Amino acid sequence: MEDALAKIRPHTRSPIAHQKTPADLLQALESTFKDKGTDRTPTAYFAALITTLEETIRTKETSLGDGDVLPAELYLLGLVSPFVPHAVTQTHLNALLSLTAPLFPSLNAHAPSLRSQMSLYNAIFCSLDHSQLDVPNIRQSFATVLQLCVDPRPKVRKRAVDLISDVLSKPPSPLSRHPYAQRVAEWLHTSLQQASTGVLSKSKLDGRSSDSADVAIHLLALLRPAIPPIISVLLALPRLGNPYLSQSSYAILSDLLSTSLDSGTQSSAEQIPAVLTAILASRPLKSDITVAPSWIRVLGRTMLTYRSADAEGCAVNFLGAWKAVWAFVESTQTQIRKAAAESLGSLAQCITLPMAQAAVNEPDDGRSDLRTVITQTSQALDSLAYAQAIPELLTVISSLTTSLALRIEPRKPTTAAEIFLLPLVEKVADLRVQKNFEHKEAADTVISIAMRVVGPAVLLNVLPLNLEPQDRQAGSEPRAFLLPMISQPHPSPLSHFLSYFVPLSERMYNLQKKAEEGGRQAEAKVWSVLVSQVWTGFAGYCHASPDVKSALTPGFSQILSQILYNQPDLRLLVLRGLKVLVESNLVVSEDHVNEPSKYSALTGPITREEAAENIAFLKSQVESWFAVLFNVFSSVASDTRGVVGDVISVWANIAEPQEVSKAYGKVAELFKQNLQKLVRASDVQQSAAATTMIQDLFLLLLPFLDTSDITSLFRVCLTEEVLACRDNGVQKRGYKLLGKSVASGKLQVDVLGTLRQLDSFMVGLSPAAKRDRFVLLSLLVPGIPASSMHVITSLVPEAVLGTKEPSERTRSAAFDLVVAMGKRMSEGGVVKRQMLDEMDEGGATEAQASINEYITMVAAGLAGASPHMISASVTAISRLVYEFKDIIDSDVQTNIFTTLLVFLSSANREIVKSTLGYIKLAIHTLSVDLLRPYLTELVPALLAWSHDHKNHFKAKVRHIFERMIRRFGWDDVYSAAGKEEAAKVLVNIKKRKERAKRKKARAQDEDGEEEAPSVKVVTGDAFEDVLYGSESEYEDTDDESQVDRPTVAKTKNQHGVRLRADGDEPMDLLKGVASRVANAPGNRRRKPGTDAKRFNVDSDSGKIVIPAEESDSDIEVSARKAADIAAGGAYKESITSADGFTRDAKGRVKFNKDTRKRRRENADEDGDVEMADDTVENSSKRNKRRSEVKLGHEFKAKKAGGDVKKGKLEPYAYLPLRQAAKKKGRDRIGVSGKR
């Protein structure tokens, strides 16, 4: 409430009457509170406003103009009432009703006051108990608000709908349903019935909206969140003929059915058959593009809802619904066909396992629903009537394939899709390889889904790849497009890859080598790509395969190892498969479902027990695979080790602890040897590569090590050889290993001893290792004993200076360390000051650890010798004030503020920048009472930087003042400004603010709807948002806002589809129509050879000759024009003409004078003057000829000469014949270079 009132108080000087009156009234109320010593509580405001309203009505000052008191009182009451306790509202109920209920008729013509009244009544209705809801005035007021739900004014209607929704969602205790819910439902039912019949009462039309459809739309907006289904009325609304009304009614019907089923309401489930019958009875015309798509979609969603409620009943109505939607597939309208395809996809999800089993038991020519649907779809692919619906048919086939991933028998991999849809998929694949087929992407989707459902082992028997030379010689069409589809998860076993694809890849690899030996590089590249695509599918076979134990033989493992060692192109593909092999089995084995895994539909009939057996087998292979993966990890480049490291981590996750410990022992011994070599090496960078590689292995193994191994690793890394190494990478990884060891929780750390050792390594610390060092210190600080809190003092300077590091991640880690030390100090302990080097003399005593003591330690940096240290200390203090604002003593807060306020007058910009950040945070965080006494010092100090543009100081100061005005009010801040010149800055800020508010209000009035709340851009860190975020609501108000231009989407030509005739070949309209459908208009399709027919052929060379009499190409003409325009004419005109101007050395403009000399010069330039020197003329002509652009210039290489030579064209220059075949212009050149 205080935030809302704070936005009103500054408007006491507003020139706008409806803003000034509430502010003046609020100021008067608060002055009364101050005089009587009353606290500013919601109850106090509420009681005072009721008294004021009673006096206003008693004196009959009920006018509703902009500057009148009654609208202001209602506005403040609506603002305050939500914060008033319910008991207080119930106590004043009679007074509120007697004062405000009679105002509804007069307020109806004044929307702002009416909205305020509804805000008040929202709070009243929500505070009442069950007995008070029957009060006549309450019931009448609720009825009045209910009528406003169909008001034509958007803001009034929205406020009324929000009120009804809020009231119904908060029933009085102990009721679970509001007593008014039935009343609202009956009112909606009656109103919708009247709207559907076109008969509405005058109270609903209200003289402003005479259209029943508009009223019905408003009713549906209220219906969606508030009312249970009233289905029969919704189905009658489309008869009004309003497109939006029809779409809304169908959509809401579907939503209501789904919502009622989700909530477990059985009554709505019982209504679904009747609803389905009503929907099927209200079928629109096929040509009705407005209603048909919505009707089709609601039918599909209703069937889905029916399946969830009663699968058997849904199966009975499945074929009837399918036929009803199928009739729209042959529509000429694209929107209707797409809606039909979407709805058929929903219907396909209604296919149940009993339906599939019944179809399997029938003969092939059976009449079951499923076979009827599949037969109908298959025939439509060859039917001329469905020629333009080929994309939609392919979408339907994809949906059927997905829905038929049902296993007819639980323990067998055979699916219903394999039994019913393979012929249909084969037909789609045959269309896919035809050159004239235009929907290859949709066909690929069908085949890809079939691959995922039935697997390559089944699909490749029907659709062989035909990639080898003997297959091509037999005339079989190659299907290389199948290879990328194998990489997705599928049910085929890993043994199929071993028996089919591994030999195939070997044969292809041999063909690649033969092509390379024969110098056929292009052919070799083709075979290389095919081999890569084959091994891309390895991961798909590894996905929860049921036969891992039998397929992953030593021989196959040897093949995989050799690929990892010797073939970098295939290494990533094999690594991906090895990772999937472990992860997929882990997911299935950990699935807490007693039935077959949820992955079984896609990854084979694998159960938890089979997955556990696979994991047990893979555990026995860990040692050998560790050796292979470690060797590969050490041999690849550092930037490609990430994938190998991921595979090592996955396999280490399933390894036994002794296997991981054994691997760690070998790696640790190797690390010690390489570390000694690094210490003695002269070339550090070259020798450090092996050491950093082993450290990376440590990082991968560390999460799986036991306590003894982690302790050993911690000791190895906490040495001078690692943490003071001359190589940055070794240092960085050393600190990272230490931090992860501590974070693992398996290590018992001597914190004080570790901190002493770390302190000794500060001298040779690399900047790259600072972040990991800060992370390590943050993990160690919570373990500092309570009796040794003086250790924190030695860490403060390093952490404070870290907040000014260039690296953002390092700064973030330093801030975390500062906060971690603050939290540890706030937990208590003893600071032994006599143990500090600076305080070992003078009888220093012990002090209790607290956040106040810690801030005193950090504040010591304010006396630093360098501006950098002072600035860092200010930044660190800012973070501490933000983090611990609730527990820092007010005296300490005051001392900090007054101390840092002095730094605003510093001459060093780095210090001032940090101080401005603290001031900004203090205004946002600290209490108003603490800061108000220092406004007279703060405001002038800030105004001193208000005109400084460097380092964005002006913008920062403006943002700070905007915050101050919001928190302290305009008067307090303005009175503290002092000088008139300084006060102008604040006046400008106020004007900007008011201008922005007016602009925003105008925009809302023009839109006619509530403006969506603006979303602030946040950084993800609350402290960063407060310290560096502007939070200026009016930051860009000086600039003209850019108006978003409406973008017009480019629409394709609505020419439909056509049948393509290929030469003299007769067309069979009963078969293969899909491959002869073209979307492009007939006159735009290019025919090979038509351009070449326009030219003669040279009898000697056989080359095409373009006659010289023919025209230049369009490119030549346009290029010549561009060359003429680009000759500098515009610049010359601006310099020499009488209307031009020039600038002197100071940038001042000097206009050209229209003198006699100037006119004579212009006349000489325009006239035909003979030049005495022929050489000049000849040179000009030569330059002109040289500037002419030749045909084919766009294909000339930019650096090399290319095919286009000086004055002629090489015989092999590429020129499009369509360009050369133009009939306009002159100087045509032959392609062969002849004229």
Side-chain angles (χ1 to χ4, degrees), residues 166-201:
D166 291 344
V167 171
L168 296 184
S169 63
K170 299 174 183 177
S173 180
L175 301 179
S176 60
R177 185 182 182 212
H178 202 283
Y180 285 172
Q182 183 64 29
R183 181 181 178 184
V184 175
E186 294 174 355
W187 177 81
L188 272 170
H189 189 276
T190 304
S191 301
L192 284 173
Q193 277 187 332
Q194 294 175 355
S196 63
T197 57
V199 180
L200 282 173
S201 62

Side-chain angles (χ1 to χ4, degrees), residues 659-678:
E659 292 289 347
V660 179
S661 181
K662 184 178 179 181
Y664 164 75
K666 295 178 181 179
V667 176
E669 187 63 30
L670 188 61
F671 176 71
K672 294 176 183 177
Q673 297 174 7
N674 282 276
L675 192 60
Q676 295 300 323
K677 293 179 183 178
L678 178 61

